[in-house]
Coordinates of all heavy atoms in Angstrom, one line a residue:
M178 N 57.6 -172.8 122.3 CA 57.3 -171.4 122.1 C 56.7 -171.1 120.7 O 57.3 -171.6 119.7 CB 58.6 -170.6 122.2 CG 58.5 -169.1 122.0 SD 57.8 -168.3 123.3 CE 59.3 -167.7 124.1
K179 N 55.6 -170.4 120.6 CA 54.9 -170.3 119.4 C 55.3 -168.9 118.7 O 55.0 -168.7 117.5 CB 53.4 -170.3 119.6 CG 53.0 -171.7 120.1 CD 51.6 -171.9 120.2 CE 51.4 -173.4 120.5 NZ 50.0 -173.8 120.6
I180 N 56.0 -168.1 119.4 CA 56.4 -166.8 118.8 C 57.9 -166.9 118.4 O 58.6 -167.6 119.1 CB 56.3 -165.7 119.9 CG1 54.9 -165.7 120.5 CG2 56.7 -164.3 119.3 CD1 53.8 -165.1 119.7
K181 N 58.2 -166.4 117.3 CA 59.5 -166.4 116.8 C 60.0 -165.0 116.5 O 59.2 -164.1 116.3 CB 59.6 -167.2 115.5 CG 59.5 -168.7 115.7 CD 59.8 -169.4 114.3 CE 59.8 -170.9 114.5 NZ 60.0 -171.5 113.2
K182 N 61.3 -164.8 116.5 CA 61.9 -163.6 116.2 C 61.5 -163.1 114.8 O 61.4 -163.9 113.8 CB 63.5 -163.9 116.1 CG 64.3 -162.7 116.2 CD 65.8 -163.1 116.3 CE 66.7 -162.0 116.2 NZ 68.1 -162.4 116.5
G183 N 61.1 -161.9 114.6 CA 60.6 -161.3 113.4 C 59.1 -161.4 113.2 O 58.6 -160.8 112.3
D184 N 58.4 -162.1 114.1 CA 57.0 -162.1 114.0 C 56.4 -160.7 114.4 O 57.0 -159.9 115.2 CB 56.4 -163.1 115.1 CG 56.5 -164.5 114.6 OD1 56.8 -164.8 113.4 OD2 56.4 -165.4 115.5
I185 N 55.2 -160.4 113.9 CA 54.5 -159.3 114.3 C 53.5 -159.7 115.3 O 52.7 -160.6 115.1 CB 53.7 -158.6 113.1 CG1 54.7 -158.2 112.0 CG2 52.9 -157.4 113.6 CD1 55.8 -157.2 112.4
V186 N 53.5 -159.1 116.5 CA 52.6 -159.5 117.6 C 51.8 -158.2 118.1 O 52.2 -157.1 117.9 CB 53.4 -160.1 118.8 CG1 54.0 -161.4 118.4 CG2 54.5 -159.1 119.3
K187 N 50.7 -158.6 118.8 CA 49.9 -157.6 119.4 C 50.0 -157.8 120.9 O 50.0 -158.9 121.4 CB 48.4 -157.7 119.0 CG 47.6 -156.6 119.4 CD 46.2 -156.6 118.6 CE 45.5 -155.4 118.9 NZ 44.3 -155.3 118.1
I188 N 50.1 -156.7 121.6 CA 50.3 -156.7 123.1 C 48.9 -156.8 123.7 O 48.0 -156.0 123.4 CB 51.0 -155.5 123.6 CG1 52.3 -155.2 122.8 CG2 51.4 -155.7 125.1 CD1 53.2 -156.4 122.7
L189 N 48.7 -157.8 124.6 CA 47.3 -158.0 125.2 C 47.1 -157.3 126.5 O 45.9 -157.0 126.9 CB 47.1 -159.5 125.3 CG 47.3 -160.4 124.1 CD1 47.1 -161.8 124.4 CD2 46.3 -160.0 123.1
T190 N 48.1 -157.0 127.2 CA 47.9 -156.5 128.6 C 48.9 -155.4 128.8 O 49.9 -155.2 128.1 CB 48.1 -157.5 129.7 OG1 49.3 -158.1 129.5 CG2 47.0 -158.5 129.7
G191 N 48.8 -154.7 129.9 CA 49.8 -153.7 130.3 C 49.6 -152.3 129.6 O 48.6 -152.1 129.0
T192 N 50.6 -151.5 129.9 CA 50.5 -150.1 129.4 C 50.5 -150.1 127.8 O 50.1 -149.1 127.3 CB 51.7 -149.2 129.9 OG1 52.8 -150.0 129.7 CG2 51.4 -148.9 131.4
S193 N 51.1 -151.0 127.2 CA 51.2 -151.1 125.7 C 50.1 -151.9 125.1 O 50.2 -152.2 124.0 CB 52.5 -151.6 125.3 OG 53.6 -150.9 125.9
K194 N 49.1 -152.1 125.9 CA 48.0 -153.0 125.4 C 47.4 -152.5 124.0 O 47.2 -151.2 123.9 CB 46.8 -152.9 126.4 CG 45.7 -153.8 126.2 CD 44.7 -153.8 127.3 CE 43.5 -154.6 126.9 NZ 42.5 -154.7 128.1
G195 N 47.3 -153.3 123.1 CA 46.7 -152.9 121.8 C 47.8 -152.6 120.8 O 47.5 -152.5 119.6
K196 N 49.0 -152.4 121.2 CA 50.0 -152.0 120.3 C 50.5 -153.2 119.6 O 50.5 -154.3 120.1 CB 51.3 -151.4 121.1 CG 51.3 -150.0 121.2 CD 52.8 -149.6 121.7 CE 52.9 -148.2 122.2 NZ 54.2 -147.9 122.8
T197 N 51.0 -153.0 118.3 CA 51.6 -154.1 117.6 C 53.1 -153.7 117.3 O 53.5 -152.5 117.3 CB 51.0 -154.3 116.2 OG1 50.9 -153.2 115.5 CG2 49.6 -154.9 116.5
G198 N 53.9 -154.7 117.3 CA 55.3 -154.5 117.0 C 56.0 -155.8 116.6 O 55.4 -156.8 116.6
K199 N 57.2 -155.6 116.2 CA 58.0 -156.8 115.6 C 58.8 -157.4 116.8 O 59.3 -156.7 117.6 CB 58.9 -156.3 114.6 CG 59.6 -157.3 113.7 CD 60.3 -156.6 112.6 CE 61.5 -157.4 112.1 NZ 62.3 -156.6 111.2
V200 N 58.8 -158.7 116.8 CA 59.6 -159.4 117.9 C 61.0 -159.2 117.6 O 61.5 -159.6 116.5 CB 59.1 -160.9 118.0 CG1 60.0 -161.6 119.0 CG2 57.7 -161.0 118.4
L201 N 61.8 -158.7 118.5 CA 63.2 -158.5 118.3 C 64.0 -159.7 118.8 O 65.0 -160.0 118.3 CB 63.7 -157.2 119.1 CG 63.1 -155.9 118.7 CD1 63.5 -154.8 119.5 CD2 63.3 -155.6 117.2
N202 N 63.6 -160.3 119.9 CA 64.3 -161.3 120.5 C 63.3 -162.3 121.3 O 62.3 -161.8 121.8 CB 65.3 -160.9 121.5 CG 66.7 -161.0 120.9 OD1 67.1 -162.0 120.5 ND2 67.5 -159.9 121.0
V203 N 63.6 -163.6 121.3 CA 62.9 -164.5 122.0 C 63.8 -165.2 123.1 O 64.9 -165.6 122.7 CB 62.3 -165.6 121.1 CG1 61.6 -166.7 121.8 CG2 61.3 -164.9 120.1
F204 N 63.4 -165.2 124.3 CA 64.2 -165.8 125.3 C 63.5 -167.1 125.8 O 62.5 -167.1 126.5 CB 64.4 -164.9 126.5 CG 65.0 -163.6 126.1 CD1 64.3 -162.5 125.9 CD2 66.4 -163.5 125.9 CE1 64.8 -161.3 125.5 CE2 67.0 -162.3 125.5 CZ 66.2 -161.2 125.3
L205 N 64.0 -168.2 125.3 CA 63.4 -169.5 125.5 C 63.5 -170.0 126.9 O 62.7 -170.6 127.5 CB 64.0 -170.6 124.6 CG 63.7 -170.4 123.1 CD1 64.5 -171.4 122.3 CD2 62.2 -170.6 122.9
Q206 N 64.6 -169.5 127.7 CA 64.9 -169.9 129.0 C 63.7 -169.5 129.9 O 63.3 -170.3 130.8 CB 66.1 -169.2 129.6 CG 67.3 -169.3 128.7 CD 67.5 -168.1 127.8 OE1 66.6 -167.8 127.0 NE2 68.5 -167.3 127.9
N207 N 63.2 -168.3 129.8 CA 62.1 -167.9 130.7 C 60.8 -167.5 129.9 O 59.9 -167.0 130.6 CB 62.6 -166.7 131.6 CG 63.2 -165.6 130.7 OD1 63.1 -165.5 129.5 ND2 63.8 -164.6 131.4
G208 N 60.7 -167.8 128.7 CA 59.5 -167.6 127.9 C 59.1 -166.2 127.7 O 57.9 -165.8 127.8
T209 N 60.1 -165.3 127.6 CA 59.8 -163.9 127.4 C 60.3 -163.5 125.9 O 61.1 -164.1 125.3 CB 60.5 -163.0 128.4 OG1 61.9 -163.2 128.4 CG2 60.0 -163.3 129.8
V210 N 59.7 -162.3 125.5 CA 60.1 -161.8 124.3 C 60.3 -160.3 124.4 O 59.8 -159.6 125.3 CB 58.9 -162.0 123.2 CG1 58.7 -163.5 122.9 CG2 57.6 -161.4 123.6
T211 N 61.1 -159.7 123.5 CA 61.2 -158.3 123.5 C 60.5 -157.8 122.1 O 60.7 -158.5 121.1 CB 62.6 -157.7 123.5 OG1 63.4 -158.4 122.5 CG2 63.2 -158.0 124.8
V212 N 59.7 -156.8 122.2 CA 59.0 -156.3 121.1 C 59.4 -154.9 120.8 O 59.5 -154.0 121.7 CB 57.5 -156.4 121.3 CG1 56.7 -155.9 120.0 CG2 57.1 -157.8 121.7
E213 N 59.7 -154.6 119.5 CA 60.1 -153.2 119.1 C 59.1 -152.2 119.6 O 57.9 -152.2 119.3 CB 60.1 -153.2 117.6 CG 61.0 -152.1 116.9 CD 61.2 -152.4 115.5 OE1 60.2 -152.8 114.8 OE2 62.3 -152.1 115.0
G214 N 59.6 -151.2 120.3 CA 58.8 -150.0 120.7 C 57.8 -150.3 121.8 O 57.0 -149.5 122.1
V215 N 57.9 -151.5 122.4 CA 57.0 -151.8 123.5 C 57.7 -152.1 124.8 O 58.8 -152.7 124.7 CB 56.2 -153.1 123.0 CG1 55.3 -153.6 124.2 CG2 55.3 -152.8 121.9
N216 N 57.1 -151.6 125.9 CA 57.7 -151.9 127.2 C 59.1 -151.3 127.3 O 60.0 -151.8 127.7 CB 57.7 -153.4 127.5 CG 57.8 -153.7 129.0 OD1 57.5 -152.9 129.8 ND2 58.3 -154.9 129.3
L217 N 59.1 -150.0 126.8 CA 60.4 -149.3 126.8 C 60.9 -148.9 128.2 O 60.1 -148.4 129.0 CB 60.4 -148.1 125.9 CG 60.2 -148.3 124.4 CD1 60.1 -147.0 123.7 CD2 61.4 -149.1 123.9
H218 N 62.1 -149.3 128.5 CA 62.7 -148.9 129.7 C 63.8 -147.9 129.4 O 64.5 -148.1 128.4 CB 63.1 -150.0 130.5 CG 62.0 -150.7 131.2 ND1 62.0 -151.3 132.5 CD2 60.8 -151.0 130.7 CE1 60.9 -151.9 132.7 NE2 60.1 -151.7 131.7
K219 N 64.2 -147.1 130.4 CA 65.3 -146.2 130.2 C 66.5 -146.6 131.0 O 66.3 -147.0 132.2 CB 64.9 -144.8 130.6 CG 64.1 -144.2 129.5 CD 63.6 -142.7 129.8 CE 62.8 -142.1 128.7 NZ 61.9 -141.2 129.2
K220 N 67.6 -146.6 130.4 CA 68.8 -146.9 131.1 C 69.7 -145.7 131.1 O 69.9 -145.2 130.0 CB 69.4 -148.2 130.5 CG 70.6 -148.7 131.2 CD 70.8 -150.3 130.9 CE 71.4 -150.6 129.6 NZ 71.5 -152.0 129.4
H221 N 70.2 -145.3 132.2 CA 71.1 -144.2 132.2 C 72.6 -144.7 132.2 O 72.9 -145.5 133.0 CB 70.9 -143.4 133.5 CG 69.5 -142.8 133.5 ND1 69.2 -141.5 133.2 CD2 68.3 -143.4 133.8 CE1 67.9 -141.3 133.4 NE2 67.3 -142.5 133.7
T222 N 73.3 -144.3 131.3 CA 74.7 -144.7 131.3 C 75.6 -143.6 131.7 O 75.3 -142.4 131.4 CB 75.1 -145.2 129.8 OG1 74.9 -144.1 128.9 CG2 74.3 -146.4 129.4
R223 N 76.6 -143.9 132.4 CA 77.6 -142.9 132.8 C 78.7 -142.8 131.7 O 78.9 -143.7 131.0 CB 78.3 -143.5 134.1 CG 77.4 -143.6 135.3 CD 78.3 -143.9 136.5 NE 77.6 -143.5 137.7 CZ 77.6 -142.2 138.1 NH1 78.4 -141.3 137.5 NH2 76.9 -141.9 139.2
P224 N 79.3 -141.6 131.7 CA 80.4 -141.4 130.8 C 81.5 -142.4 131.1 O 81.9 -142.5 132.2 CB 80.8 -140.0 130.9 CG 80.2 -139.6 132.2 CD 79.0 -140.4 132.5
R225 N 82.0 -143.1 130.2 CA 83.1 -144.1 130.4 C 84.5 -143.4 130.2 O 85.3 -143.7 131.0 CB 82.9 -145.2 129.4 CG 81.7 -146.1 129.6 CD 82.0 -147.4 130.4 NE 80.8 -147.9 131.0 CZ 80.0 -148.7 130.4 NH1 80.2 -149.1 129.1 NH2 78.9 -149.2 131.0
K226 N 84.5 -142.6 129.1 CA 85.8 -141.9 128.9 C 85.7 -140.5 129.2 O 84.5 -139.9 129.2 CB 86.2 -142.1 127.4 CG 86.5 -143.5 127.0 CD 86.8 -143.6 125.5 CE 86.5 -145.0 124.9 NZ 86.0 -145.0 123.6
Q227 N 86.7 -139.8 129.3 CA 86.7 -138.4 129.5 C 86.1 -137.7 128.3 O 86.5 -138.1 127.1 CB 88.1 -137.8 129.8 CG 88.0 -137.0 131.1 CD 89.4 -136.5 131.5 OE1 90.3 -136.6 130.8 NE2 89.3 -135.9 132.7
G228 N 85.3 -136.7 128.4 CA 84.8 -136.0 127.3 C 83.6 -136.6 126.8 O 82.7 -136.0 126.0
Q229 N 83.3 -137.9 127.1 CA 82.1 -138.6 126.7 C 80.9 -138.2 127.6 O 81.1 -137.9 128.8 CB 82.3 -140.1 126.8 CG 81.4 -140.9 125.9 CD 81.6 -142.4 126.1 OE1 82.4 -142.8 126.9 NE2 81.0 -143.2 125.4
Q230 N 79.8 -138.2 127.1 CA 78.6 -137.8 127.9 C 77.8 -139.0 128.4 O 77.7 -140.0 127.6 CB 77.7 -136.9 127.1 CG 78.3 -135.5 127.0 CD 77.1 -134.4 127.1 OE1 76.1 -134.5 126.4 NE2 77.4 -133.5 128.0
G231 N 77.3 -138.9 129.6 CA 76.4 -139.9 130.0 C 75.1 -139.7 129.3 O 74.8 -138.6 128.8
Q232 N 74.4 -140.8 129.0 CA 73.1 -140.6 128.3 C 72.1 -141.5 128.7 O 72.3 -142.5 129.5 CB 73.4 -140.8 126.8 CG 74.1 -142.0 126.4 CD 74.5 -142.0 125.0 OE1 73.9 -141.3 124.1 NE2 75.4 -142.9 124.6
V233 N 70.8 -141.3 128.2 CA 69.7 -142.1 128.6 C 69.4 -143.0 127.4 O 69.1 -142.5 126.3 CB 68.5 -141.3 129.0 CG1 67.4 -142.2 129.4 CG2 68.9 -140.3 130.1
V234 N 69.5 -144.3 127.5 CA 69.2 -145.2 126.4 C 67.9 -145.9 126.7 O 67.6 -146.4 127.7 CB 70.3 -146.3 126.3 CG1 70.1 -147.1 125.1 CG2 71.7 -145.6 126.3
E235 N 67.0 -145.8 125.6 CA 65.8 -146.5 125.7 C 65.9 -147.9 125.1 O 66.4 -148.1 124.0 CB 64.7 -145.7 125.0 CG 64.0 -144.7 125.9 CD 62.7 -144.3 125.4 OE1 62.5 -144.4 124.1 OE2 61.8 -143.9 126.1
F236 N 65.4 -148.9 125.8 CA 65.5 -150.2 125.3 C 64.2 -151.0 125.6 O 63.6 -150.8 126.7 CB 66.7 -150.9 125.8 CG 66.6 -151.2 127.3 CD1 66.3 -152.5 127.7 CD2 66.9 -150.2 128.2 CE1 66.2 -152.8 129.1 CE2 66.8 -150.5 129.6 CZ 66.5 -151.8 130.0
P237 N 63.8 -151.9 124.8 CA 62.6 -152.7 125.1 C 62.9 -153.8 126.1 O 63.8 -154.5 125.8 CB 62.2 -153.3 123.7 CG 63.4 -153.1 122.9 CD 64.3 -152.2 123.4
A238 N 62.2 -153.8 127.2 CA 62.4 -154.8 128.2 C 61.6 -156.1 127.8 O 60.5 -155.9 127.2 CB 62.0 -154.3 129.6
P239 N 62.1 -157.3 128.2 CA 61.3 -158.4 127.9 C 60.0 -158.5 128.6 O 59.8 -158.0 129.7 CB 62.2 -159.6 128.4 CG 63.5 -158.9 128.7 CD 63.3 -157.5 128.9
L240 N 59.0 -159.1 127.9 CA 57.7 -159.3 128.5 C 57.3 -160.8 128.3 O 57.7 -161.4 127.3 CB 56.7 -158.3 128.1 CG 56.2 -158.2 126.6 CD1 54.8 -157.6 126.5 CD2 57.2 -157.4 125.9
P241 N 56.4 -161.4 129.1 CA 56.1 -162.8 128.9 C 55.4 -163.0 127.6 O 54.6 -162.2 127.2 CB 55.1 -163.0 130.1 CG 55.3 -161.9 131.1 CD 55.8 -160.8 130.3
S242 N 55.7 -164.1 127.0 CA 55.2 -164.3 125.6 C 53.7 -164.6 125.7 O 53.0 -164.5 124.7 CB 55.9 -165.5 125.0 OG 55.5 -166.7 125.7
S243 N 53.2 -164.9 126.9 CA 51.7 -165.1 127.0 C 50.9 -163.8 127.0 O 49.7 -163.8 126.9 CB 51.4 -165.9 128.4 OG 51.9 -165.1 129.4
K244 N 51.6 -162.7 127.1 CA 51.0 -161.4 127.0 C 50.9 -160.8 125.6 O 50.5 -159.7 125.4 CB 51.7 -160.4 127.9 CG 51.9 -160.8 129.3 CD 50.6 -160.9 130.0 CE 50.8 -161.4 131.5 NZ 49.8 -162.4 131.9
V245 N 51.4 -161.6 124.6 CA 51.3 -161.1 123.2 C 50.6 -162.2 122.4 O 50.6 -163.3 122.7 CB 52.8 -160.9 122.6 CG1 53.5 -159.9 123.5 CG2 53.5 -162.1 122.4
A246 N 50.0 -161.7 121.3 CA 49.4 -162.6 120.4 C 49.9 -162.4 119.0 O 50.2 -161.3 118.6 CB 47.8 -162.3 120.3
L247 N 50.1 -163.5 118.3 CA 50.7 -163.4 117.0 C 49.7 -162.8 116.0 O 48.5 -163.1 116.0 CB 51.0 -164.8 116.5 CG 51.7 -164.9 115.2 CD1 53.1 -164.4 115.1 CD2 51.7 -166.4 114.7
V248 N 50.2 -161.9 115.2 CA 49.3 -161.3 114.1 C 49.7 -162.1 112.8 O 50.8 -162.1 112.4 CB 49.6 -159.8 113.9 CG1 48.8 -159.3 112.8 CG2 49.2 -159.1 115.2
C249 N 48.7 -162.7 112.2 CA 48.9 -163.5 111.0 C 49.3 -162.6 109.9 O 48.6 -161.6 109.6 CB 47.7 -164.2 110.7 SG 47.7 -165.1 109.1
P250 N 50.4 -162.9 109.2 CA 50.8 -162.0 108.1 C 49.9 -162.1 106.9 O 49.9 -161.2 106.1 CB 52.2 -162.5 107.7 CG 52.3 -163.9 108.4 CD 51.3 -163.9 109.5
K251 N 49.1 -163.1 106.9 CA 48.2 -163.3 105.7 C 46.8 -162.6 105.9 O 46.4 -161.8 105.2 CB 48.0 -164.8 105.5 CG 47.1 -165.2 104.3 CD 47.9 -165.2 103.1 CE 47.0 -165.5 101.9 NZ 47.8 -165.8 100.7
C252 N 46.2 -163.0 107.0 CA 44.8 -162.4 107.2 C 44.8 -161.2 108.2 O 43.8 -160.5 108.3 CB 43.8 -163.5 107.7 SG 44.3 -164.2 109.4
G253 N 45.9 -160.9 108.8 CA 46.1 -159.7 109.6 C 45.3 -159.7 111.0 O 45.2 -158.7 111.7
K254 N 44.9 -160.9 111.3 CA 44.2 -161.0 112.6 C 45.1 -161.6 113.6 O 46.0 -162.3 113.3 CB 42.9 -162.0 112.5 CG 41.8 -161.4 111.6 CD 40.8 -162.5 111.4 CE 39.8 -162.2 110.3 NZ 39.2 -163.4 109.8
T255 N 44.8 -161.2 114.9 CA 45.5 -161.9 116.0 C 45.0 -163.3 116.0 O 43.8 -163.6 115.9 CB 45.3 -161.2 117.3 OG1 43.9 -161.2 117.6 CG2 45.9 -159.8 117.3
T256 N 45.9 -164.2 116.1 CA 45.5 -165.6 116.0 C 46.3 -166.5 116.9 O 47.4 -166.2 117.5 CB 45.7 -166.1 114.6 OG1 45.2 -167.4 114.5 CG2 47.1 -166.1 114.2
R257 N 45.7 -167.7 117.2 CA 46.5 -168.7 117.8 C 47.2 -169.6 116.8 O 46.9 -169.5 115.6 CB 45.5 -169.6 118.6 CG 45.0 -168.9 119.9 CD 44.2 -169.8 120.8 NE 43.0 -170.2 120.1 CZ 42.6 -171.4 120.0 NH1 43.3 -172.4 120.6 NH2 41.5 -171.7 119.3
V258 N 48.2 -170.3 117.2 CA 49.0 -171.0 116.3 C 48.8 -172.4 116.3 O 48.7 -173.0 117.5 CB 50.5 -170.6 116.7 CG1 51.4 -171.4 115.7 CG2 50.8 -169.2 116.5
G259 N 48.7 -173.1 115.3 CA 48.6 -174.5 115.2 C 49.8 -175.0 114.5 O 50.6 -174.3 113.9
Y260 N 49.9 -176.3 114.5 CA 51.1 -176.9 113.8 C 50.6 -177.9 112.7 O 49.6 -178.6 112.9 CB 52.0 -177.6 114.7 CG 52.8 -176.6 115.7 CD1 52.4 -176.4 117.0 CD2 53.8 -175.9 115.1 CE1 53.0 -175.6 117.8 CE2 54.6 -175.1 116.0 CZ 54.1 -174.9 117.3 OH 54.8 -174.0 118.1
V261 N 51.3 -177.9 111.6 CA 51.1 -179.0 110.7 C 52.4 -179.8 110.4 O 53.4 -179.1 110.4 CB 50.5 -178.5 109.3 CG1 49.1 -178.1 109.4 CG2 51.4 -177.3 108.8
M262 N 52.2 -181.0 110.1 CA 53.4 -181.8 109.9 C 53.1 -182.7 108.6 O 52.1 -183.3 108.5 CB 53.8 -182.7 111.0 CG 54.7 -182.0 112.0 SD 55.3 -183.1 113.2 CE 54.1 -183.0 114.5
K263 N 54.1 -182.7 107.7 CA 54.0 -183.5 106.6 C 55.1 -184.5 106.7 O 56.2 -184.2 107.2 CB 54.0 -182.8 105.3 CG 52.8 -182.1 104.9 CD 52.9 -181.4 103.5 CE 51.8 -180.4 103.3 NZ 52.1 -179.5 102.2
A264 N 55.0 -185.7 106.2 CA 56.0 -186.7 106.2 C 57.3 -186.2 105.6 O 57.3 -185.6 104.6 CB 55.6 -187.9 105.5
G265 N 58.3 -186.3 106.4 CA 59.6 -185.9 105.9 C 59.9 -184.4 106.0 O 61.0 -183.9 105.6
E266 N 59.0 -183.6 106.5 CA 59.2 -182.2 106.6 C 59.2 -181.8 108.1 O 58.7 -182.4 108.9 CB 58.0 -181.5 105.9 CG 58.2 -181.3 104.4 CD 57.1 -180.4 103.8 OE1 56.5 -179.6 104.5 OE2 56.8 -180.7 102.6
K267 N 59.7 -180.5 108.3 CA 59.8 -180.0 109.6 C 58.3 -179.6 110.0 O 57.5 -179.3 109.2 CB 60.6 -178.8 109.6 CG 62.1 -179.1 110.0 CD 63.0 -177.9 109.9 CE 62.8 -177.0 111.2 NZ 63.8 -175.9 111.1
K268 N 58.1 -179.5 111.3 CA 56.9 -179.0 111.8 C 56.7 -177.5 111.5 O 57.7 -176.7 111.6 CB 56.9 -179.1 113.4 CG 55.7 -178.9 114.1 CD 55.8 -179.5 115.5 CE 56.4 -178.4 116.4 NZ 56.2 -178.9 117.9
R269 N 55.6 -177.1 110.9 CA 55.4 -175.7 110.5 C 54.2 -175.1 111.2 O 53.2 -175.8 111.5 CB 55.2 -175.7 109.0 CG 56.4 -176.2 108.3 CD 56.1 -176.4 106.9 NE 56.4 -175.2 106.1 CZ 56.2 -175.1 104.8 NH1 55.7 -176.2 104.1 NH2 56.5 -174.1 104.1
R270 N 54.3 -173.8 111.4 CA 53.2 -173.2 112.1 C 52.1 -172.8 111.1 O 52.3 -172.5 110.0 CB 53.7 -171.9 112.8 CG 54.7 -172.2 113.9 CD 55.2 -171.0 114.6 NE 55.7 -170.0 113.7 CZ 55.9 -168.7 114.0 NH1 55.7 -168.3 115.2 NH2 56.4 -167.9 113.1
V271 N 50.9 -172.8 111.6 CA 49.8 -172.5 110.7 C 48.8 -171.5 111.5 O 48.6 -171.7 112.7 CB 49.1 -173.8 110.3 CG1 48.4 -174.5 111.4 CG2 48.1 -173.5 109.2
C272 N 48.2 -170.6 110.8 CA 47.2 -169.7 111.4 C 46.0 -170.5 111.6 O 45.5 -171.1 110.7 CB 47.0 -168.5 110.4 SG 45.6 -167.5 110.9
K273 N 45.4 -170.4 112.9 CA 44.2 -171.2 113.2 C 43.0 -170.5 112.5 O 42.0 -171.2 112.5 CB 44.1 -171.3 114.7 CG 45.0 -172.2 115.3 CD 44.2 -173.2 116.2 CE 45.3 -174.2 116.8 NZ 44.5 -175.2 117.6
K274 N 43.1 -169.3 112.1 CA 41.9 -168.6 111.5 C 41.8 -168.9 110.0 O 40.8 -169.2 109.5 CB 41.9 -167.2 111.9 CG 41.5 -167.0 113.3 CD 41.3 -165.6 113.7 CE 40.8 -165.6 115.2 NZ 41.2 -164.3 115.9
C275 N 43.0 -168.7 109.3 CA 42.9 -168.8 107.8 C 43.6 -170.0 107.3 O 43.6 -170.3 106.1 CB 43.3 -167.5 107.1 SG 45.1 -167.2 107.3
R276 N 44.2 -170.8 108.2 CA 44.9 -172.0 107.9 C 46.1 -171.8 106.9 O 46.5 -172.8 106.3 CB 43.9 -173.0 107.2 CG 42.7 -173.4 108.0 CD 42.9 -173.8 109.4 NE 43.6 -175.0 109.5 CZ 43.9 -175.5 110.7 NH1 43.6 -175.0 111.8 NH2 44.6 -176.7 110.8
T277 N 46.6 -170.6 106.9 CA 47.8 -170.3 106.1 C 49.0 -170.8 106.8 O 49.2 -170.5 108.0 CB 47.9 -168.9 105.7 OG1 46.7 -168.5 105.2 CG2 49.1 -168.6 104.8
I278 N 50.0 -171.4 106.2 CA 51.2 -171.8 106.8 C 52.0 -170.5 107.0 O 52.2 -169.7 106.0 CB 52.0 -172.8 106.0 CG1 51.2 -174.2 106.1 CG2 53.4 -172.9 106.4 CD1 51.7 -175.2 105.2
I279 N 52.5 -170.2 108.2 CA 53.2 -168.9 108.5 C 54.6 -169.0 108.1 O 55.2 -168.0 107.6 CB 52.9 -168.5 109.9 CG1 51.4 -168.3 110.1 CG2 53.7 -167.3 110.3 CD1 51.0 -168.2 111.6
D280 N 55.3 -170.1 108.4 CA 56.7 -170.2 108.0 C 57.1 -171.6 107.6 O 56.2 -172.5 107.5 CB 57.6 -169.7 109.1 CG 57.2 -170.2 110.4 OD1 56.6 -171.3 110.5 OD2 57.6 -169.5 111.4
Ligands
ZN972 ZN1 45.6 -166.0 109.1

């Protein structure tokens, strides 16, 4: 998975196409992500206790990570992600456009 929690991504398809937002969660099991303010679904909750009101909660639903593109924090463009490895270091992500190490 090339997208990580906290990344800024751009939505490529669907009703939120063109929007950007922060990745709130990454689900590795099925390759989906949730993005702040994107793909909002409404959930109606019933009152649980007496006197409590039922309400409508908006929450971002997961969307496939292939439908989002990473926005490089350095050059601000949507980019593909490459990897660099140095001896004795962890694999790090790099912007394919400006070659900046992202994390
Ligand atoms: Zn870049």
Side-chain angles (χ1 to χ4, degrees):
M178 180 76 97
K179 298 187 168 180
I180 307 288
K181 283 187 180 177
K182 198 171 170 174
D184 282 346
I185 302 298
V186 292
K187 190 167 191 176
I188 314 303
L189 302 175
T190 54
T192 48
S193 303
K194 187 175 175 175
K196 265 195 194 174
T197 53
K199 193 171 153 191
V200 175
L201 299 176
N202 253 311
V203 173
F204 303 97
L205 293 172
Q206 312 91 300
N207 53 9
T209 58
V210 295
T211 51
V212 183
E213 198 169 41
V215 170
N216 201 20
L217 290 178
H218 284 220
K219 283 180 179 150
K220 189 151 77 183
H221 298 257
T222 59
R223 293 188 156 277
R225 294 258 161 86
K226 292 174 205 148
Q227 232 180 5
Q229 200 184 4
Q230 284 219 307
Q232 51 186 341
V233 183
V234 185
E235 273 200 334
F236 68 101
L240 62 157
S242 68
S243 59
K244 306 294 178 216
V245 303
L247 182 69
V248 176
C249 170
K251 183 82 181 194
C252 63
K254 292 175 193 157
T255 56
T256 184
R257 286 182 301 132
V258 178
Y260 290 103
V261 283
M262 269 192 270
K263 281 183 193 161
E266 273 183 32
K267 269 177 79 179
K268 191 162 85 168
R269 297 167 89 181
R270 295 184 304 168
V271 65
C272 169
K273 284 232 182 185
K274 285 186 177 152
C275 67
R276 308 306 298 179
T277 306
I278 289 170
I279 296 168
D280 43 26

